Amino acid sequence: RKEVEQDPGPFNVPEGATVAFNCTYSNSASQSFFWYRQDCRKEPKLLMSVYSSGNEDGRFTAQLNRASQYISLLIRDSKLSDSATYLCVVSSNSGYALNFGKGTSLLVTP
Amino acid sequence: DAGVTQSPTHLIKTRGQQVTLRCSPISGHKSVSWYQQVLGQGPQFIFQYYEKEERGRGNFPDRFSARQFPNYSSELNVNALLLGDSALYLCASNLAGTSGIGEQFFGPGTRLTVL
């Protein structure tokens, strides 16, 4: 079983739509959780950290459910510039490595 | 401030050859990690170094090795290249102290093609 599982998509949504991504992780001892964004042929960049209490950054909301080992990302009022691959990321047991999901591809259309 | 830099940006090698990839972390960052990203997959952890010591190793064969220098820059070496080693190799740096991962800042990567 993979450490981090995500639906690869693609998700094709119109501008202004709300879209949600989910991921599950297998290691219950993981302590840190993130969403990274990766544009085509570019490096991943941190979008936001994810906390059990949930956190919001503008149009983006992330949630963590430790009991279900489930992480979500909600994007409201999608913009064309949101088109990218969104990577669900979980720290390893040791805390020294990041385990990435395969990524979920989002295409926002006019 | 300069971000993480990597060289070269692209590289073409043939099977059986050896390759060395280089990374310079953000100034002040003492930790460097290496990841391999095959097309269509998420990055996969190879190594982490902190203060010149290896702190973590992913599930990669011994053909992969790395080191960190006193100025915190790092090299990743891959021997006896296989076609399956073709990938984007990403270097990431962070401020991590003696424990924990912290936010990772990635460089633009080196795209390696093995023919």
mmCIF file of all heavy atoms in Angstrom, chain A residues 19-35:
data_model
loop_
_atom_site.group_PDB
_atom_site.id
_atom_site.type_symbol
_atom_site.label_atom_id
_atom_site.label_comp_id
_atom_site.label_asym_id
_atom_site.label_seq_id
_atom_site.Cartn_x
_atom_site.Cartn_y
_atom_site.Cartn_z
ATOM 1 N N VAL A 19 -13.709 23.405 -5.817
ATOM 2 C CA VAL A 19 -13.223 22.048 -6.072
ATOM 3 C C VAL A 19 -12.531 21.522 -4.810
ATOM 4 O O VAL A 19 -11.914 22.299 -4.066
ATOM 5 C CB VAL A 19 -12.266 22.026 -7.286
ATOM 6 C CG1 VAL A 19 -11.046 22.885 -7.045
ATOM 7 C CG2 VAL A 19 -11.874 20.611 -7.660
ATOM 8 N N ALA A 20 -12.684 20.237 -4.571
ATOM 9 C CA ALA A 20 -12.100 19.620 -3.367
ATOM 10 C C ALA A 20 -11.231 18.438 -3.758
ATOM 11 O O ALA A 20 -11.612 17.632 -4.615
ATOM 12 C CB ALA A 20 -13.203 19.166 -2.423
ATOM 13 N N PHE A 21 -10.089 18.345 -3.128
ATOM 14 C CA PHE A 21 -9.177 17.220 -3.308
ATOM 15 C C PHE A 21 -9.035 16.495 -1.978
ATOM 16 O O PHE A 21 -9.001 17.134 -0.922
ATOM 17 C CB PHE A 21 -7.778 17.688 -3.739
ATOM 18 C CG PHE A 21 -7.752 18.527 -4.963
ATOM 19 C CD1 PHE A 21 -6.921 19.616 -5.048
ATOM 20 C CD2 PHE A 21 -8.564 18.223 -6.049
ATOM 21 C CE1 PHE A 21 -6.879 20.396 -6.182
ATOM 22 C CE2 PHE A 21 -8.533 19.002 -7.188
ATOM 23 C CZ PHE A 21 -7.688 20.102 -7.249
ATOM 24 N N ASN A 22 -8.896 15.187 -2.067
ATOM 25 C CA ASN A 22 -8.722 14.386 -0.859
ATOM 26 C C ASN A 22 -7.495 13.513 -0.982
ATOM 27 O O ASN A 22 -7.069 13.180 -2.095
ATOM 28 C CB ASN A 22 -9.945 13.484 -0.667
ATOM 29 C CG ASN A 22 -11.229 14.279 -0.656
ATOM 30 O OD1 ASN A 22 -11.335 15.292 0.022
ATOM 31 N ND2 ASN A 22 -12.223 13.844 -1.427
ATOM 32 N N CYS A 23 -6.965 13.146 0.159
ATOM 33 C CA CYS A 23 -5.908 12.151 0.135
ATOM 34 C C CYS A 23 -5.936 11.368 1.433
ATOM 35 O O CYS A 23 -6.454 11.846 2.454
ATOM 36 C CB CYS A 23 -4.558 12.796 -0.168
ATOM 37 S SG CYS A 23 -3.479 13.148 1.200
ATOM 38 N N THR A 24 -5.434 10.168 1.396
ATOM 39 C CA THR A 24 -5.317 9.334 2.593
ATOM 40 C C THR A 24 -3.864 8.947 2.770
ATOM 41 O O THR A 24 -3.100 8.866 1.808
ATOM 42 C CB THR A 24 -6.177 8.059 2.492
ATOM 43 O OG1 THR A 24 -5.788 7.336 1.327
ATOM 44 C CG2 THR A 24 -7.648 8.397 2.421
ATOM 45 N N TYR A 25 -3.482 8.726 4.026
ATOM 46 C CA TYR A 25 -2.106 8.324 4.309
ATOM 47 C C TYR A 25 -2.112 7.105 5.216
ATOM 48 O O TYR A 25 -3.066 6.879 5.971
ATOM 49 C CB TYR A 25 -1.309 9.483 4.928
ATOM 50 C CG TYR A 25 -1.829 9.990 6.245
ATOM 51 C CD1 TYR A 25 -1.306 9.522 7.447
ATOM 52 C CD2 TYR A 25 -2.822 10.965 6.290
ATOM 53 C CE1 TYR A 25 -1.776 10.000 8.668
ATOM 54 C CE2 TYR A 25 -3.296 11.433 7.506
ATOM 55 C CZ TYR A 25 -2.782 10.956 8.686
ATOM 56 O OH TYR A 25 -3.256 11.424 9.884
ATOM 57 N N SER A 26 -1.041 6.321 5.147
ATOM 58 C CA SER A 26 -1.047 5.028 5.833
ATOM 59 C C SER A 26 -0.334 5.042 7.180
ATOM 60 O O SER A 26 -0.605 4.187 8.027
ATOM 61 C CB SER A 26 -0.399 3.971 4.929
ATOM 62 O OG SER A 26 0.931 4.327 4.643
ATOM 63 N N ASN A 27 0.567 5.992 7.388
ATOM 64 C CA ASN A 27 1.389 5.979 8.609
ATOM 65 C C ASN A 27 0.750 6.835 9.704
ATOM 66 O O ASN A 27 0.809 8.061 9.658
ATOM 67 C CB ASN A 27 2.789 6.496 8.278
ATOM 68 C CG ASN A 27 3.739 6.377 9.455
ATOM 69 O OD1 ASN A 27 3.323 6.026 10.561
ATOM 70 N ND2 ASN A 27 4.996 6.669 9.230
ATOM 71 N N SER A 28 0.182 6.171 10.681
ATOM 72 C CA SER A 28 -0.520 6.897 11.742
ATOM 73 C C SER A 28 0.431 7.703 12.630
ATOM 74 O O SER A 28 -0.007 8.575 13.374
ATOM 75 C CB SER A 28 -1.318 5.916 12.607
ATOM 76 O OG SER A 28 -0.448 4.963 13.189
ATOM 77 N N ALA A 29 1.738 7.432 12.526
ATOM 78 C CA ALA A 29 2.712 8.157 13.349
ATOM 79 C C ALA A 29 3.172 9.464 12.696
ATOM 80 O O ALA A 29 3.925 10.223 13.302
ATOM 81 C CB ALA A 29 3.925 7.268 13.608
ATOM 82 N N SER A 30 2.716 9.732 11.480
ATOM 83 C CA SER A 30 3.119 10.971 10.790
ATOM 84 C C SER A 30 2.705 12.186 11.600
ATOM 85 O O SER A 30 1.638 12.212 12.206
ATOM 86 C CB SER A 30 2.492 11.028 9.398
ATOM 87 O OG SER A 30 2.985 9.988 8.586
ATOM 88 N N GLN A 31 3.584 13.193 11.603
ATOM 89 C CA GLN A 31 3.347 14.377 12.422
ATOM 90 C C GLN A 31 3.081 15.647 11.623
ATOM 91 O O GLN A 31 2.496 16.587 12.141
ATOM 92 C CB GLN A 31 4.563 14.617 13.325
ATOM 93 C CG GLN A 31 4.800 13.510 14.343
ATOM 94 C CD GLN A 31 3.660 13.411 15.336
ATOM 95 O OE1 GLN A 31 3.159 14.414 15.830
ATOM 96 N NE2 GLN A 31 3.223 12.182 15.606
ATOM 97 N N SER A 32 3.562 15.696 10.390
ATOM 98 C CA SER A 32 3.444 16.934 9.603
ATOM 99 C C SER A 32 2.776 16.641 8.273
ATOM 100 O O SER A 32 3.033 15.606 7.649
ATOM 101 C CB SER A 32 4.835 17.530 9.356
ATOM 102 O OG SER A 32 5.488 17.802 10.573
ATOM 103 N N PHE A 33 1.932 17.593 7.875
ATOM 104 C CA PHE A 33 1.111 17.390 6.683
ATOM 105 C C PHE A 33 1.086 18.677 5.865
ATOM 106 O O PHE A 33 1.016 19.767 6.438
ATOM 107 C CB PHE A 33 -0.319 17.008 7.097
ATOM 108 C CG PHE A 33 -0.358 15.857 8.063
ATOM 109 C CD1 PHE A 33 -0.277 16.081 9.426
ATOM 110 C CD2 PHE A 33 -0.451 14.560 7.602
ATOM 111 C CE1 PHE A 33 -0.278 15.016 10.327
ATOM 112 C CE2 PHE A 33 -0.466 13.492 8.480
ATOM 113 C CZ PHE A 33 -0.368 13.718 9.847
ATOM 114 N N PHE A 34 1.141 18.514 4.551
ATOM 115 C CA PHE A 34 1.240 19.689 3.696
ATOM 116 C C PHE A 34 0.488 19.464 2.393
ATOM 117 O O PHE A 34 0.282 18.334 1.963
ATOM 118 C CB PHE A 34 2.712 19.975 3.333
ATOM 119 C CG PHE A 34 3.665 19.987 4.501
ATOM 120 C CD1 PHE A 34 4.330 18.837 4.875
ATOM 121 C CD2 PHE A 34 3.907 21.151 5.192
ATOM 122 C CE1 PHE A 34 5.221 18.838 5.937
ATOM 123 C CE2 PHE A 34 4.797 21.171 6.259
ATOM 124 C CZ PHE A 34 5.457 20.016 6.633
ATOM 125 N N TRP A 35 0.145 20.554 1.739
ATOM 126 C CA TRP A 35 -0.212 20.551 0.332
ATOM 127 C C TRP A 35 0.846 21.368 -0.400
ATOM 128 O O TRP A 35 1.136 22.502 -0.011
ATOM 129 C CB TRP A 35 -1.592 21.158 0.095
ATOM 130 C CG TRP A 35 -2.713 20.242 0.461
ATOM 131 C CD1 TRP A 35 -3.446 20.261 1.606
ATOM 132 C CD2 TRP A 35 -3.241 19.162 -0.330
ATOM 133 N NE1 TRP A 35 -4.391 19.263 1.590
ATOM 134 C CE2 TRP A 35 -4.289 18.577 0.410
ATOM 135 C CE3 TRP A 35 -2.933 18.637 -1.589
ATOM 136 C CZ2 TRP A 35 -5.028 17.490 -0.075
ATOM 137 C CZ3 TRP A 35 -3.669 17.567 -2.054
ATOM 138 C CH2 TRP A 35 -4.699 17.000 -1.308
#
